[in-house]
Amino acid sequence: DVKVTQSSRYLVKRTGEKVFLECVQDMDHENMFWYRQDPGLGLRLIYFSYDVKMKEKGDIPEGYSVSREKKERFSLILESASTNQTSMYLCASSLGTAMLRDTQYFGPGTRLTVL
Amino acid sequence: AQKITQTQPGMFVQEKEAVTLDCTYDTSDQSYGLFWYKQPSSGEMIFLIYQGSYDEQNATEGRYSLNFQKARKSANLVISASQLGDSAMYFCAMREANAGGTSYGKLTFGQGTILTVHP
């Protein structure tokens, strides 16, 4: 079974802090993704990575950056946290077969509150 | 325009009955894939079922089936014999073949439907 883990289930940070969200997958997947989930908006893609050190902006990258130094680990960084970044953050990975049915597998999510 | 629309914010069903969760999509691609995920209160998104645009048969996975109507651009999830453990948020998502380059892996999600199963 694919296992995607996220470093924290709940996180509380102060405005202006630098925040790191970590994601690790154990299935040698090529692709990794960071989403945020807000009520009524579904999941929105922040950034994704299709290879080590490669990244691409998703639909809402502003205020975020990412790092992928190793294949199994994908980090989301909030350089200076703001209250409008309070949200549920979900990490996902997929094999990266360039097939339509390449399924994304998700971690348990991190609920971040910025005060 | 919304690419994926789930018009039912919440649905209720009696245990052991069937329920249909609606999903309509918007794409000009001929080749695309549709996914359904379940998100229990614990937060983790669980993959349920996949339908390709060229698949001739409607997809089925155990108690889950996908009522795929291509001309109407709808991909409704049918859950048969509902169980209390089916209470969760359900998301419909789409991947388009012509998203281009490295964007090929992207999924677009709907807003979700909360399903509550009553005993």
Side-chain angles (χ1 to χ4, degrees):
Chain A
D1 279 355
V2 177
K3 187 78 173 173
V4 180
T5 56
Q6 294 182 229
S7 50
S8 306
R9 291 301 304 271
Y10 299 94
L11 212 51
V12 180
K13 295 291 180 181
R14 297 267 177 209
T15 301
E17 279 193 76
K18 190 168 186 174
V19 181
F20 292 86
L21 302 183
E22 306 285 341
C23 175
V24 177
Q25 51 94 3
D26 67 356
M27 284 302 292
D28 203 34
H29 282 177
E30 299 292 332
N31 293 350
M32 296 188 75
F33 307 82
W34 274 107
Y35 294 88
R36 66 176 281 175
Q37 181 182 2
D38 300 289
L41 297 177
L43 276 70
R44 293 179 293 165
L45 183 64
I46 304 171
Y47 266 97
F48 67 101
S49 168
Y50 52 92
D51 200 354
V52 174
K53 297 190 188 289
M54 305 303 287
K55 61 187 179 186
E56 287 227 2
K57 292 179 180 179
D59 300 317
I60 51 163
E62 296 79 18
Y64 303 94
S65 62
V66 289
S67 172
R68 194 168 180 199
E69 297 295 319
K70 294 185 178 181
K71 191 174 185 179
E72 67 271 19
R73 188 179 297 269
F74 193 35
S75 302
L76 180 69
I77 304 154
L78 287 66
E79 295 290 341
S80 178
S82 64
T83 54
N84 63 12
Q85 292 178 310
T86 292
S87 187
M88 173 74 132
Y89 290 87
L90 290 160
C91 175
S93 72
S94 73
L95 206 51
T97 60
M99 291 175 65
L100 283 173
R101 69 179 309 139
D102 186 38
T103 301
Q104 291 185 17
Y105 296 92
F106 285 79
T110 295
R111 192 167 291 282
L112 172 68
T113 303
V114 183
L115 301 175
Chain B
Q2 289 270 38
K3 282 191 177 275
I4 295 284
T5 303
Q6 295 179 251
T7 56
Q8 307 154 314
M11 287 286 286
F12 296 89
V13 66
Q14 208 69 31
E15 197 178 6
K16 297 179 186 163
E17 293 188 350
V19 63
T20 297
L21 305 183
D22 294 342
C23 173
T24 57
Y25 57 91
D26 181 25
T27 181
S28 55
D29 283 1
Q30 294 301 308
S31 185
Y32 50 89
L34 296 155
F35 299 76
W36 276 93
Y37 284 86
K38 170 185 178 182
Q39 186 181 42
S41 56
S42 58
E44 184 172 348
M45 299 274 285
I46 301 165
F47 166 68
L48 294 178
I49 196 166
Y50 167 82
Q51 177 85 43
S53 59
Y54 289 117
D55 292 344
E56 292 185 356
Q57 306 274 351
N58 283 347
T60 60
E61 288 286 348
R63 293 186 299 111
Y64 304 108
S65 60
L66 207 152
N67 183 0
F68 181 47
Q69 298 190 42
K70 198 169 180 177
R72 293 185 178 183
K73 293 188 175 176
S74 75
N76 299 338
L77 178 71
V78 181
I79 305 174
S80 63
S82 297
Q83 301 172 356
L84 296 178
D86 294 334
S87 293
M89 177 86 91
Y90 289 81
F91 288 96
C92 179
M94 176 174 66
R95 171 178 290 122
E96 297 170 283
N98 292 322
T102 54
S103 295
Y104 188 83
K106 290 176 62 174
L107 286 179
T108 303
F109 286 83
Q111 311 93 313
T113 296
I114 299 175
L115 175 66
T116 303
V117 180
H118 288 305

